[in-house]
């Protein structure tokens, strides 16, 4: 995507590739949360997949900088709808004692798709061109629609769709009970926005032909740890597991900054994969822990609003500072490591407050 935008004449705006996508995703979350709790999990998941199919076909047609950015805005609806409903669906069908494990497996599949996509897409683009890559993405999204329509709806008290469901009040936007999880999510996912923006050019700087190598290494590391990290979060608690994950993510960013070789890039990718593989299931399960069953859609939407804000903010700031000056990349990674430390400190603060409340009540 960064190279494609450069070929269109928009090299100075690479940070907007992720930022615009996440902007629409964040804006659509209150709608997807309300629809998930009112209309049903399955139709909301189907909307998300349908947007992916549509955009994949339109990228080759709208081949200007303005058209590209318009599609990035539209494409964001896919992420705004699909994960919100999917997470609520999982919480419906899995006992609360295994939410960490279940969401860990969901995150595993999410990571595989998000990481294998750039790797496979890179091969397709190199051998068959960017248009073939876009059409292939539509084909995969269409397969997901087929799967979704064969899933049984889990929302018990469903309502028929009406236009009133699209009216959003202040109380529909944020689930206040899950604000602590949202804060930690926002700060921690800035790293992913930074990585999505910088790694393609940083890989090229290091002499890597396939810019998906980082994401392949990240996926392999993440897959292994996610098989056990969710279970660990169920057994030892979300807070302890999240703290470990954040420390590892911060270390990975330092590796990426110091790394000046392909080997160190791969090591940094593996460490980052382990960190996110530990952190993600725990923070997702923590979000559901803090929410009420009737507001699961809104709770997950709130968490994903924070996630998109983190990714989009990280991408936007990274792109603005980077501005195609490759020597700035390590310093951006170092700065982002400090943001991850802030997330760690917030968890310590929140946990300390909860212990004090428990002591007073006791």
């Amino acid at each position: 995507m960064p190279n494609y935008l450069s070929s269109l004449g928009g090299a100075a705006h690479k940070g907007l590739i992720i930022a615009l996508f996440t902007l629409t995703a964040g804006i659509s979350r209150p709608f997807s949360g309300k629809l998930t709790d009112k209309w049903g999990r399955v139709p909301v998941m189907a909307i998300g997949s349908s947007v992916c199919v549509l955009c994949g076909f339109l990228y080759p047609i709208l081949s200007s900088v303005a058209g590209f950015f318009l599609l990035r805005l539209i494409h964001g609806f896919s992420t705004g709808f699909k994960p919100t409903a999917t997470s609520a669906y999982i919480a419906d069908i899995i006992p609360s004692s295994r939410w960490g494990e279940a969401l860990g497996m969901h995150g595993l599949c999410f990571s595989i798709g998000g990481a294998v996509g750039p790797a496979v897409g890179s091969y397709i683009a190199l051998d068959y061109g960017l248009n073939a890559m876009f059409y292939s993405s539509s084909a995969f999204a269409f397969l997901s629609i087929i799967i979704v329509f064969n899933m049984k709806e889990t929302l018990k008290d469903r309502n028929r769709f009406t236009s009133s469901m699209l009216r959003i009040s202040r109380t529909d936007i944020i689930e206040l009970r899950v604000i602590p999880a949202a804060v930690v999510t926002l700060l921690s996912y800035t790293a992913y926005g930074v990585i999505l923006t910088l790694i393609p050019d940083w890989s090229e700087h290091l002499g890597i032909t396939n810019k998906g190598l980082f994401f392949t290494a990240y996926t392999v590391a993440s897959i292994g740890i996610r098989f056990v990290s969710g279970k660990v979060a169920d057994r030892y608690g979300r807070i302890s597991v999240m703290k470990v994950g954040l420390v590892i993510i911060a270390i990975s960013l330092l590796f990426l900054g110091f790394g000046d070789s392909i080997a160190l890039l791969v090591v940094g990718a593996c460490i980052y994969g382990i960190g996110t593989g530990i952190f993600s299931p725990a923070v997702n399960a923590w979000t559901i822990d803090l929410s009420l069953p009737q507001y699961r859609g809104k709770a997950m939407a709130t968490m994903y609003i924070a996630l998109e804000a983190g990714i989009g903010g990280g991408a936007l700031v990274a792109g603005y500072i980077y501005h195609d000056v490759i020597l700035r990349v390590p310093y951006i990674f170092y700065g982002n490591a400090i943001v991850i430390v802030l997330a760690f400190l917030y968890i310590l603060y929140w946990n300390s407050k909860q212990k004090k409340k428990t002591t007073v009540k006791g």
Side-chain angles (χ1 to χ4, degrees), residues 52-74:
C52 285
V53 174
L54 175 66
C55 288
F57 277 107
L58 290 180
Y59 277 116
I61 298 173
L62 300 179
S63 56
S64 66
V65 173
F68 176 83
F69 285 139
L70 174 64
L71 280 177
R72 292 309 289 168
L73 280 169
I74 296 173

Side-chain angles (χ1 to χ4, degrees), residues 174-196:
I174 299 294
E175 176 55 37
L176 296 178
R177 294 176 184 84
V178 303
I179 287 294
V183 171
V184 175
T185 299
L186 185 150
L187 293 173
S188 62
Y189 273 90
T190 56
Y192 196 55
V194 170
I195 284 170
L196 286 174

Side-chain angles (χ1 to χ4, degrees), residues 56-118:
F57 277 107
L58 290 180
Y59 277 116
I61 298 173
L62 300 179
S63 56
S64 66
V65 173
F68 176 83
F69 285 139
L70 174 64
L71 280 177
R72 292 309 289 168
L73 280 169
I74 296 173
H75 208 159
F77 281 103
S78 62
T79 300
F81 276 73
K82 185 69 168 62
T84 302
T86 302
S87 298
Y89 188 95
I90 291 170
D92 290 343
I93 63 176
I94 301 295
S96 59
S97 60
R98 299 184 65 188
W99 277 343
E101 179 184 359
L103 290 167
M105 296 304 297
H106 169 242
L108 171 65
C109 296
F110 194 90
S111 295
I112 290 175
V116 171

Side-chain angles (χ1 to χ4, degrees), residues 205-343:
H205 171 71
L206 296 176
I208 301 173
T209 303
N210 185 346
K211 298 175 184 180
L213 176 63
F214 175 94
F215 297 97
T216 302
Y218 154 74
T219 302
V220 171
S222 181
I223 287 174
I225 199 67
R226 284 180 187 271
F227 281 111
V228 297
S229 61
K231 294 180 181 180
V232 173
D234 287 332
R235 183 171 181 179
Y236 296 103
R238 323 303 191 196
I239 300 297
S240 298
V241 173
M242 284 190 294
K243 288 191 291 186
V244 172
L246 288 171
V247 169
I248 296 174
I249 291 172
I251 292 172
S252 73
L253 291 168
L254 295 178
F255 255 91
L256 292 175
F258 286 117
D260 57 355
S261 67
I262 297 175
L264 289 178
L265 180 78
V266 172
V267 170
C270 291
I271 297 174
Y272 181 71
I274 292 171
T276 55
I278 291 172
F279 173 79
S280 181
V283 75
N284 287 354
W286 188 35
T287 302
I288 296 176
D289 290 342
L290 295 173
S291 68
L292 298 176
Q294 64 268 35
Y295 298 122
R296 277 179 186 159
K298 184 166 69 168
M300 295 311 300
T302 300
M303 190 273 289
Y304 279 117
I305 288 172
L307 183 147
E308 303 298 348
I311 296 175
L316 192 61
V317 173
Y320 177 79
I321 297 173
Y322 170 43
H323 212 71
D324 265 1
V325 180
I326 201 68
L327 294 179
R328 295 177 181 174
V329 170
Y331 299 102
I332 299 173
F333 285 132
Y334 302 150
N336 193 225
I338 295 174
V339 176
I340 303 302
V341 171
L342 292 177

